[in-house]
Amino acid sequence: MKYELLTDSEMEQEVSGEALTLTAVMAVLATAIIAVIVYKMFLSDKGNATVPGGWKFSWN
């Protein structure tokens, strides 16, 4: 691979920020999914949940 130095005008044209935007979108999506799961879990009349580590929850 050949590296080439950029001029000042070429460096001014470079734009970044895609990784930050993608991270923010993924964080909002994960928060929304967790919120829906918790909402459904607490509004159901009966149910149970098992999480790793042997923790079991049930409600009637």
Side-chain angles (χ1 to χ4, degrees):
M1 181 182 284
K2 182 180 174 185
Y3 292 101
E4 198 173 310
L5 292 176
L6 298 176
T7 64
D8 289 337
S9 62
E10 289 173 332
M11 286 193 297
E12 288 175 1
Q13 294 175 354
E14 287 296 317
V15 179
S16 62
E18 293 85 9
L20 180 62
T21 302
L22 182 60
T23 303
V25 168
M26 296 285 285
V28 168
L29 183 62
T31 304
I33 290 171
I34 291 171
V36 168
I37 291 171
V38 169
Y39 177 77
K40 292 281 187 178
M41 191 169 81
F42 282 114
L43 286 186
S44 64
D45 293 334
K46 289 183 176 181
N48 58 11
T50 304
V51 293
W55 292 61
K56 294 183 181 181
F57 302 97
S58 62
W59 56 96
N60 293 330

